[in-house]
Amino acid sequence: MSSLDELKMRIKEMPISSVISNYLTLTKKGTQTLAVCPFHDDHNPSMQVNDQKNMFYCFVDQMGGDAIKFVQLYKNLNYIEALQDICQALGWNYDEYQQEKKSNPRFELGKKILGNSAKFYHRWAQTKKAAGFEEFVTNRLNGNRELADAYQLGYAPANNALSQYFNSIKDPEEKQKVLQLALELGIIKPDKYREDSQFDTFRERIMFPIWDQFGQVIGFTSRAIKDSQMAKYMNSVDSFLFNKRQLLYGLHLAKSFIRERDAVIIAEGNMDQISLYAHGFEHSVAIMGVALGDTSLKKLLGLTKNIYLCLDNDKAGFKAGQRINQQFMEYGITPRYISLNEHKDPDDFIKIEGHLALQKNIEEARPFIDEEIDRQFPEKVPELSDRKLEILQNFFNILRPLKQDLKALERVQLLAKRLGLQSDSQTITKTYQDFLKGEQEPRKAGPGPTSAPIMETPPEDMMATPAPLQRQITKAESKILQQIVLHPEILDGPYLADILDFVTSDEVKTYISKLADIFFEIEESEYINVLTSLNNSEEYSVELTGIIGAAIYQFRPQNLDEKACKKLMGDLKRKLKEEDLKAKKQTLKEMQKNLQTESELKECLLEMAKIDRELLSLR
C-alpha cells in the first residue's frame, strides 16, 4: 500500500458487510443481509447491506452509500476521519499509508506539477496582459505587490496556456505521466471534442496557491474576475493531495507566530487571512469552506490552546463558529468570539475601522459559548417553571461537550439564576449530570427477527452511540433529488424551474445544477459511474450524498414519457407546498406558547385554520 487512494480501494474491494459488521449486528434473512438502522427508531431491521452492490440502504430514511459513507453518517465524521476509524475497526495501521505516501513517486510528481503550476500562474500575473490581476492587487491589496509575492498569487489566462506548457514537454513518456497526473489533480480537463487534447480548468481567474503545513503547494483556490463567470470561487478537486477540510490556509506562514504569541485567529476565507496577516495579525489561519477537520484542529492544539474565532458576520459564519467551538470544547478548550460589529468579515472590518479597532475587539473577546448562550436566551423569561426548565435543558446541549468541567458547571448555575429557578445549586448540578448520563447511554436497538441467526456481532468497544443524523434537507427536497437521479430526463423538461422555486436548500439547488451539467455532457452508459464518483467527493454534505446513495442503490434505466413526467413533477410540487405550509403552521404553534393576549391568540388560530384549509385543498 502506498497512498490513501489505495486504502480507499482496499476498503471498496472488501464486502461491505465485513466493514459494517464492526459497527452493527447483522442478520441473515434468506438472501438478504439486514441490520437495525441506527439513524431512526428502528425495531424491525430496515437497513439492507448488499455485498453484490457493495452498498447499504435504509428504505425508511432513504439513505444509502458505500462502507465509508456509512461510517461517516454513523459517527458524524469527515471522509479522512472515516478512513481512520475503519482502519481501527479492521486492525489496519492507518499511519503506514501516511508514512509511505511521503516517499511515493506519484505524490512527489503531483507536488512538483502543482508547484510548477503555481510558479507559472505567478509569472503570468507579472505580465501586462494580466489586467484583471492588476485591478485585483490595486483594489483588494491596496497595490501591495510584496503581499501578492509573499502569497505567490497568480493569474490563469484564458488561452489554455498551462495545458500548452504541459504538452511542450519533449520526452513522450514524461509528458504522458505529467498529463495523466495533471488531469487527476483537476488543473486541466480532457477536451471531449478533440482526442488527446486538454483545456485549463482555471481560466481568467486570480489564483491562490494552497500549501500544506510544510509550505508545499497541494492545490488552488481561484477567484473570478468577471460577473459573468458562474462560480465566484473554485477550489481544486479533492485528490490524493488536496482535502480542503484538512487544510488551514496560511498555516505555513503563521506557525512560528502562533507559537510566539501563544494564540491563533481562525478566519473563514483566503482574503480574510491575507488581510489579517498584512495588518499585523500574522498568527491567523483560514478554514477552507465552513468546516474544521479533526486533523487541522489537532495541528492547532499542538501550537496553542488560545483560540479566537473571527468568522464571517452572517448566519452561516456563526453556525460554522458553533461547530468549531463545539469541536474545541470536546478537548476542554473554550474559544473566544471576536466581534466584527456590523461588518461582514475581518477584511471589511480592517478596511473601515482599522487594525487598532480589531486589536481592541480581540482584547475584549469573550468566550464564544457565552455569545452563543446570549443569542439563544429568551428576551422575556416565561413565568412557568416547566418552561424555564425546558430552556435550561436546551442550554445543556450547548454545554454538553465540556461534560463536567468547572467551566460547564459554573455556567449551569449562572443560567439557573438568570432564568429565576428556585432550586438549590446541588439539585441544578445533579439535573445537568443526569442529562450527561442520559447522553452517554448506548442507543437501544430493537430486536432482530428471531428466525434469523446473528451473522456478526461487533466488539463492544466499536459499538459507540451513533451520532444523531442531522437533517437539513426536507423530505420533499430529498424526494426531488432522488427522482432526478432515478429519472435524469426530468432535467430536460419544462417543469424543473417551477419546482426549484419551492426548494429552500442552496446545496440541493447547486447539486441539481451540477447534475444537469453532468447529464448533458456524458454518455448514458457512464451516468451511474460518474454519479458514484461525484458522491465520493467531499464537495457536498454527508446527508445529501447519503440521499443520492439511496437513489443510486435503487437506480434502474427507465425513461418517463411526458405524461408520467408531468404527473411526477406535479406530485413533487404539491409535496413541497405541503411542507412549506406545515412549517408555517409549526412556527405558529411555537408562537402560540408565548402569546400574551386573547386577540393575539385569536389571530394566530385564524391563521392556522387558513393553513389547514390550504392543506386540505392540496390533498
Side-chain angles (χ1 to χ4, degrees):
M1 293 297 168
S2 57
S3 75
L4 290 183
D5 283 342
E6 292 191 30
L7 171 58
K8 296 171 194 174
M9 188 59 65
R10 184 179 177 186
I11 293 168
K12 288 177 185 296
E13 286 174 350
M14 294 179 65
I16 188 172
S17 61
S18 63
V19 176
I20 293 183
S21 63
N22 287 279
Y23 299 89
L24 301 178
T25 299
L26 302 183
T27 60
K28 196 83 173 174
K29 189 175 181 181
T31 58
Q32 290 186 320
T33 301
L34 304 173
V36 171
C37 180
F39 308 127
H40 71 277
D41 189 17
D42 188 17
H43 298 284
N44 295 306
S46 58
M47 179 182 284
Q48 298 177 9
V49 181
N50 190 315
D51 284 337
Q52 284 68 45
K53 293 185 177 182
N54 232 16
M55 296 182 75
F56 76 92
Y57 169 65
C58 174
F59 62 82
V60 176
D61 287 310
Q62 288 292 298
M63 301 293 281
D66 60 14
I68 301 170
K69 190 66 62 184
F70 169 80
V71 176
Q72 282 186 270
L73 285 163
Y74 184 71
K75 288 202 166 184
N76 193 22
L77 302 175
N78 66 42
Y79 201 83
I80 297 299
E81 291 164 347
L83 292 177
Q84 292 171 326
D85 205 86
I86 290 169
C87 282
Q88 181 186 347
L90 298 175
W92 299 348
N93 188 348
Y94 176 80
D95 291 336
E96 287 181 5
Y97 296 93
Q98 294 292 82
Q99 290 165 3
E100 292 180 30
K101 181 177 73 172
K102 293 173 185 174
S103 59
N104 187 322
R106 187 159 163 265
F107 278 77
E108 296 307 314
L109 179 58
K111 288 181 178 180
K112 185 177 178 181
I113 290 169
L114 293 173
N116 286 341
S117 298
K119 291 175 185 175
F120 176 88
Y121 292 135
H122 187 58
R123 281 198 301 269
W124 196 280
Q126 315 306 312
T127 69
K128 293 180 181 179
K129 297 176 185 177
F133 183 82
E134 292 299 319
E135 187 179 343
F136 174 82
V137 171
T138 301
N139 294 340
R140 297 304 303 273
L141 304 181
N142 295 321
N144 191 336
R145 278 274 179 187
E146 290 181 2
L147 189 61
D149 290 340
Y151 281 85
Q152 207 176 340
L153 301 185
Y155 181 77
N159 61 355
N160 295 319
L162 187 63
S163 300
Q164 294 170 22
Y165 170 65
F166 291 144
N167 276 290
S168 68
I169 297 171
K170 292 181 180 179
D171 185 317
E173 188 177 341
E174 183 186 356
K175 173 179 160 182
Q176 186 60 32
K177 282 182 182 177
V178 169
L179 285 172
Q180 187 175 344
L181 211 47
L183 286 165
E184 189 174 344
L185 293 167
I187 54 172
I188 61 173
K189 292 183 177 180
D191 189 336
K192 65 180 183 180
Y193 300 109
R194 293 185 300 166
E195 193 173 344
D196 295 328
S197 294
Q198 304 82 28
F199 63 91
D200 292 5
T201 301
F202 304 106
R203 287 162 291 171
E204 292 186 285
R205 287 179 169 271
I206 308 298
M207 300 300 295
F208 297 76
I210 307 298
W211 303 270
D212 62 18
Q213 62 178 322
F214 306 108
Q216 291 186 293
V217 179
I218 53 174
F220 295 95
T221 291
S222 69
R223 186 185 189 279
I225 60 170
K226 295 179 178 179
D227 293 337
S228 59
Q229 288 172 289
M230 289 291 288
K232 185 176 181 181
Y233 286 97
M234 281 175 56
N235 287 320
S236 288
V237 296
D238 277 4
S239 68
F240 57 90
L241 287 176
F242 186 83
N243 180 338
K244 69 177 183 179
R245 191 183 174 98
Q246 301 302 333
L247 294 171
L248 291 165
Y249 184 73
L251 179 61
H252 69 299
L253 296 174
K255 273 191 303 185
S256 60
F257 295 101
I258 294 170
R259 288 196 186 97
E260 180 184 323
R261 301 179 194 183
D262 192 22
V264 62
I265 299 171
I266 301 177
E268 192 173 322
N270 296 11
M271 281 307 303
D272 291 327
Q273 195 278 333
I274 291 173
S275 182
L276 286 165
Y277 191 92
H279 288 90
F281 304 100
E282 295 97 341
H283 56 309
S284 60
V285 295
I287 53 176
M288 301 285 293
V290 293
L292 178 70
D294 194 56
T295 302
S296 297
L297 182 144
K298 288 175 181 175
K299 283 177 188 173
L300 291 179
L301 289 180
L303 298 170
T304 183
K305 301 296 186 290
N306 297 308
I307 314 295
Y308 290 81
L309 301 183
C310 195
L311 306 175
D312 287 3
N313 195 15
D314 56 21
K315 285 184 179 179
F318 194 78
K319 279 187 178 179
Q322 287 175 304
R323 288 192 296 270
I324 294 170
N325 179 61
Q326 186 177 42
Q327 287 175 275
F328 279 106
M329 287 200 302
E330 287 172 352
Y331 286 85
I333 306 297
T334 49
R336 293 187 171 269
Y337 170 79
I338 300 174
S339 171
L340 295 175
N341 304 340
E342 74 276 12
H343 306 293
K344 69 176 184 177
D345 55 40
D347 188 26
D348 261 21
F349 183 102
I350 292 171
K351 283 178 179 175
I352 296 167
E353 295 201 28
H355 69 281
L356 291 177
L358 186 61
Q359 181 59 44
K360 182 174 180 291
N361 283 7
I362 292 171
E363 290 167 2
E364 294 173 357
R366 60 203 295 247
F368 188 99
I369 192 172
D370 293 338
E371 178 72 17
E372 187 177 359
I373 287 170
D374 280 359
R375 291 194 184 197
Q376 295 191 28
F377 202 90
E379 290 183 11
K380 185 177 179 181
V381 176
E383 293 180 5
L384 294 175
S385 294
D386 286 352
R387 285 285 296 121
K388 291 178 181 180
L389 282 169
E390 282 178 24
I391 293 168
L392 182 63
Q393 288 186 334
N394 287 337
F395 287 126
F396 286 174
N397 281 313
I398 297 175
L399 295 167
R400 175 186 51 77
L402 289 172
K403 301 181 177 65
Q404 296 196 54
D405 191 296
L406 192 59
K407 297 170 191 170
L409 298 177
E410 285 183 346
R411 284 178 171 85
V412 168
Q413 298 298 333
L414 289 171
L415 282 164
K417 288 180 183 177
R418 195 170 166 188
L419 288 165
L421 287 165
Q422 301 301 313
S423 303
D424 59 79
S425 60
Q426 192 173 0
T427 302
I428 295 295
T429 298
K430 187 175 185 308
T431 304
Y432 175 64
Q433 289 170 336
D434 289 343
F435 166 83
L436 291 177
K437 286 177 185 175
E439 285 283 293
Q440 290 163 7
E441 285 178 6
R443 186 169 184 159
K444 294 179 181 177
T450 54
S451 59
I454 293 178
M455 179 181 161
E456 296 279 358
T457 303
E460 288 185 14
D461 61 343
M462 293 308 296
M463 292 185 70
T465 305
L469 191 58
Q470 299 296 321
R471 291 286 191 178
Q472 302 294 329
I473 298 171
T474 67
K475 288 183 180 178
E477 289 171 340
S478 173
K479 187 75 173 174
I480 286 171
L481 281 169
Q482 292 192 336
Q483 288 302 320
I484 289 175
V485 169
L486 293 171
H487 306 289
E489 61 271 17
I490 291 171
L491 296 164
D492 197 25
Y495 314 105
L496 187 61
D498 193 26
I499 288 284
L500 289 180
D501 287 341
F502 291 91
V503 174
T504 57
S505 168
D506 289 337
E507 185 184 33
V508 171
K509 289 181 180 178
T510 302
Y511 187 88
I512 291 171
S513 298
K514 179 77 171 181
L515 207 57
D517 293 341
I518 290 172
F519 182 66
F520 295 124
E521 287 184 3
I522 63 172
E523 298 292 330
E524 190 174 335
S525 59
E526 299 174 334
Y527 176 64
I528 284 297
N529 288 336
V530 173
L531 206 60
T532 302
S533 177
L534 178 64
N535 226 38
N536 285 334
S537 76
E538 284 200 273
E539 186 176 351
Y540 301 99
S541 69
V542 178
E543 181 190 5
L544 185 141
T545 51
I547 292 166
I548 301 303
I552 293 172
Y553 186 94
Q554 300 172 81
F555 183 79
R556 301 284 186 280
Q558 174 188 357
N559 288 328
L560 296 176
D561 58 32
E562 187 176 346
K563 184 179 177 181
C565 189
K566 184 177 180 180
K567 182 181 183 304
L568 174 62
M569 297 306 280
D571 289 343
L572 291 174
K573 184 176 178 180
R574 193 158 45 251
K575 284 181 183 293
L576 282 169
K577 283 184 177 179
E578 187 175 343
E579 275 192 355
D580 184 51
L581 288 168
K582 284 181 177 179
K584 288 177 181 176
K585 185 176 179 179
Q586 185 59 38
T587 301
L588 288 170
K589 282 184 177 179
E590 293 298 322
M591 287 172 55
Q592 187 181 353
K593 296 175 185 177
N594 300 310
L595 296 178
Q596 307 294 323
T597 67
E598 287 291 334
S599 62
E600 288 175 339
L601 179 61
K602 184 178 179 181
E603 186 179 344
C604 183
L605 292 172
L606 285 171
E607 191 64 31
M608 282 196 282
K610 180 183 175 184
I611 290 174
D612 284 337
R613 288 194 297 273
E614 290 184 53
L615 284 168
L616 189 61
S617 69
L618 279 177
R619 292 164 189 159

